Structure formats: C-alpha cells, structure tokens
Amino acid sequence: MLGPVDYLIWITIFLVELFCLVILLKRRAFTQHFTIVLYLLASLATSAGRYLVLAATGFTSNAYAYCYYYSDAVLTIFLFFVVMSFYSHVFSEMGVSKMVRGGAMLLLGGTALISYHMVASSSDRLITRFANELSQNLYFVGVVLTYLLWGAMMKLRENRTRLMQLVLALGVYFSAFAGTYALKNMYPSSFIWQYFQLIAIWLPVSWAYSFIKVPEEARMATARVLAPNQ
Amino acid sequence: MIAALILAISLLTLLQFFVSYCHSVIAASRRLELSEQAREISGITSRTVRGDQFKRLVQLLALCPEPGGDSTQVRALSAYFNMLGLVRMALSWAAPSALQWIETERGGCAYVAAVALDRRIKYSRMLMAQQAGH
C-alpha cells in the first residue's frame, strides 16, 4: 500500500516533468530537441498509466510489478533516443551521425539479447528480480553511451553550453539509476528502494534549468568545465 | 559480482558527471557580473567571492522569493560544496597543495550562490514594484 509520501513523490515528479515540457515548448526548442519532448510525453503517459494500473490492481499485484518495470525499460529506451539525438548534434558537422546511431542501435539490440538470454536461462527466478537486472543493464548501457559522448565532446572541443549541461545532467541521471539498481540487486529487501524514485526529479529539473537559464547561443570552452577557474 | 562492478563504475561516473555539471554551472555563472545591490546586501567587496561566504549567501537566498528554476541547482552546488569540505578535511594533512584548488572551487560555488541571490533580489524588487503599482 502506498502512503502519502509515495503519492507526494509521484505527483512531484509528474509536475516537474510537465513543467519541463512546458518550458521546452515555450522556448520553441521542441523541433531541435524532439526526442526530449518525446521522452517527457512518454514519461507523463507512463506515470498516468501506472496510476491507473495501481488503482485497478493494487501495489502488491503482479500486474503492477510488470507494468512498473517494463514501462521503466521502455522509458530508458526513449532516453537512448535522446542520447542518440545528442550524438547527432555533436557529430552533425562530421557527417558520421548515421554510423553513430547505427552503433548505438547495435548496442541497444545487444543489451536486449543479453537480457533475453538471462530470462531464458533462468525462468525460475522472480520476475521482479529479472526486471531489476534488465533495468540495471539498460541504465548501465546508458552510462557507457553518455560517457563516450562526453569523451567525444571533450575531444572535439564542443563549446555549446546548453548541450554540455543537457548531456552532463543525463550522465548524472543514468549513473545514479544504474548505481541504485545495482545496489538494489545486492540488497533487495531494504525498504528504502521505494523512495529512490526521487532521483527521477533530477533530469527534468536540470533540463528545465538549462533551457531557462542558458541561451541557445551561449558558448563555453570545454577546458572551463574541466577546470572552471582557468 | 556484476552488480558490484556496475555499482563501482556507476559511482565513479556519477562523481565525474556531477563534478563536471557543477563546473559547467559555475563557469556559466562566472560570466555574469554581480550588481551593486547584491554586493551591498551580501557584503561582498572584492570581485571574487570567498568560499566561506557560501553558507551566508545560501541563508540569504532562503529569505528571498524564488523566481523559479534555480533551487535544485543551488542544492546541487550545496552538495558539491559540502563534498569539497569533506575532501578538504581528508586532504589537509595528506596534500596541503590541493587546499588552494579546493578553496578556489568553493569560491566558485559561492559566486553561483551570489548570482542566484542577485537574480532573486531583482525578482523581489519587481514584485514590490508591481504591488506598489496596484
């Protein structure tokens, strides 16, 4: 059974995502960052869908567990689309964005195959345990992809401040979730896991901050991010 | 085993992304000049802001109405500032040469807080002007 704190976390995340979506539309950035809009819409729809399933079947039901973990996996895939769009922005002048997207799709397909192999070879395991491992793997692939992107941005001396902040915020989000899922796999019975969803607030808030405070034309040397006092 | 490995790598990347994110926020704020009003209210006299002024600036920030959008960033920088405090404590005897770098970083955090305070003071004055107009 969910308590008032859980509902508060849920509503806060929902409102923050809605706020970020409004900011994106208001700043007319939805064509340039279409995948972010897509992710936010998917996340809002997922939150509403989860609530409906919860209301109909209850918190401890299998239906809700399936709905929760698989919608989480789908949302992570939407985030991969966001990462790919960031790759396209970074490599737009080099004309290799198709290759990069192809590579990212291969990596995503590989993760799905490995996860499928895990299910096939361990059918007796709990569905929630499998879903945890799947989420952990997907988020970890996200960490790797974002880290490679950040490395490429450093190498190419990317200077678009807003793009830098969007990528770094995504890196923090992926790393925090991958770490939390890994910890959850190691200590599955702790009560604290139901509150770790609070991390989800980070991404829409930091993205909204970047769209509000950092103008599109703002530029910054990458060296200043590595050592800001230079 | 795999979970422990993923946890360790994720913590390292989280730290790196978080520090770089804080650096990008600090570097973006460094370009903004503080207004005379903000300097007067916060008691900042020189062009740079010292790290030990951070907590006072955050207290002042809490007194001003928020125009929206920066409270999470200030919280993230507070976390970074506290993390630097821990690193300073740990390194004070092992690597005294790092203390200067840490102090500059803490000063950067304080500058961001001062910029946020400046923004909030302007917002408060605008609200007061609007109320006076009605």
Side-chain angles (χ1 to χ4, degrees):
Chain A
M1 186 68 196
L2 292 180
V5 178
D6 304 292
Y7 283 111
L8 188 69
I9 292 172
W10 199 333
I11 286 176
T12 309
I13 294 170
F14 189 85
L15 290 177
V16 163
E17 282 173 346
L18 196 62
F19 173 71
C20 184
L21 187 64
V22 170
I23 293 295
L24 258 156
L25 298 177
K26 224 175 149 185
R27 301 275 152 159
R28 298 179 197 284
F30 56 93
T31 45
Q32 197 186 358
H33 295 288
F34 176 69
T35 49
I36 295 184
V37 175
L38 204 65
Y39 164 73
L40 289 169
L41 284 172
S43 186
L44 288 168
T46 301
S47 292
R50 280 176 187 170
Y51 180 76
L52 291 175
V53 175
L54 176 81
T57 63
F59 183 63
T60 50
S61 66
N62 270 347
Y64 180 69
Y66 270 108
C67 170
Y68 180 87
Y69 284 106
Y70 286 107
S71 60
D72 193 52
V74 171
L75 278 181
T76 317
I77 290 166
F78 272 101
L79 273 181
F80 284 167
F81 293 144
V82 176
V83 178
M84 281 179 225
S85 79
F86 288 157
Y87 270 101
S88 297
H89 283 294
V90 172
F91 292 102
S92 57
E93 286 171 14
M94 290 174 71
V96 291
S97 51
K98 273 188 182 172
M99 268 172 64
V100 173
R101 264 181 288 184
M105 289 304 285
L106 271 177
L107 197 60
L108 184 60
T111 313
L113 271 177
I114 290 168
S115 301
Y116 176 76
H117 176 72
M118 279 162 54
V119 190
S121 62
S122 56
S123 55
D124 57 325
R125 293 166 81 175
L126 286 171
I127 186 71
T128 48
R129 176 107 177 131
F130 159 68
N132 257 335
E133 282 187 17
L134 176 67
S135 292
Q136 169 199 279
N137 294 346
L138 284 175
Y139 279 114
F140 188 66
V141 172
V143 172
V144 173
L145 283 175
T146 316
Y147 197 79
L148 289 174
L149 175 62
W150 180 238
M153 286 171 81
M154 292 286 104
K155 199 81 182 160
L156 295 171
R157 299 184 189 280
E158 175 61 58
N159 63 357
R160 284 170 282 186
T161 310
R162 187 190 274 178
L163 187 61
M164 275 188 216
Q165 290 196 354
L166 293 176
V167 171
L168 287 169
L170 187 61
V172 169
Y173 179 84
F174 270 137
S175 307
F177 264 109
T180 312
Y181 270 110
L183 211 55
K184 196 177 174 185
N185 272 331
M186 290 158 73
Y187 305 101
S189 56
S190 175
F191 74 95
I192 204 160
W193 303 125
Q194 64 193 89
Y195 300 111
F196 83 92
Q197 278 302 319
L198 261 178
I199 305 168
I201 292 173
W202 165 262
L203 198 59
V205 165
S206 52
W207 277 351
Y209 176 84
S210 299
F211 283 108
I212 294 170
K213 306 287 181 202
V214 183
E216 172 60 28
E217 60 279 3
R219 296 291 182 268
M220 182 197 298
T222 41
R224 286 177 69 87
V225 179
L226 296 173
N229 303 307
Q230 281 182 351
Chain B
M1 178 64 189
I2 289 173
L5 196 67
I6 286 178
L7 175 66
I9 296 170
S10 301
L11 285 178
L12 286 174
T13 52
L14 174 65
L15 191 68
Q16 189 174 0
F17 280 129
F18 181 67
V19 169
S20 296
Y21 181 80
C22 290
H23 279 177
S24 75
V25 173
I26 291 170
S29 296
R30 284 252 185 222
R31 294 170 165 207
L32 304 170
E33 283 290 326
L34 288 177
S35 71
E36 279 307 313
Q37 286 171 348
R39 285 181 185 281
E40 197 182 323
I41 290 169
S42 54
I44 298 166
T45 48
S46 61
R47 197 187 174 280
T48 54
V49 184
R50 291 192 321 275
D52 56 13
Q53 290 174 304
F54 181 79
K55 286 197 171 152
R56 190 166 163 272
L57 287 164
V58 170
Q59 283 170 351
L60 287 171
L61 272 174
L63 297 174
C64 299
E66 189 198 330
D70 66 355
S71 62
T72 306
Q73 265 48 47
V74 172
R75 260 183 233 127
L77 278 167
S78 295
Y80 182 55
F81 183 84
N82 292 329
M83 197 174 82
L84 287 168
L86 289 173
V87 174
R88 187 173 65 165
M89 267 169 39
L91 290 183
S92 58
W93 59 273
S97 56
L99 293 180
Q100 178 60 40
W101 175 81
I102 291 168
E103 196 44 48
T104 322
E105 288 286 299
R106 282 161 59 96
C109 294
Y111 197 86
V112 178
V115 169
L117 179 66
D118 196 3
R119 203 179 293 129
R120 288 192 189 188
I121 290 169
K122 280 178 189 154
Y123 181 67
S124 304
R125 285 182 186 265
M126 193 190 76
L127 285 179
M128 282 169 70
Q130 276 177 354
Q131 278 181 347
H134 282 294

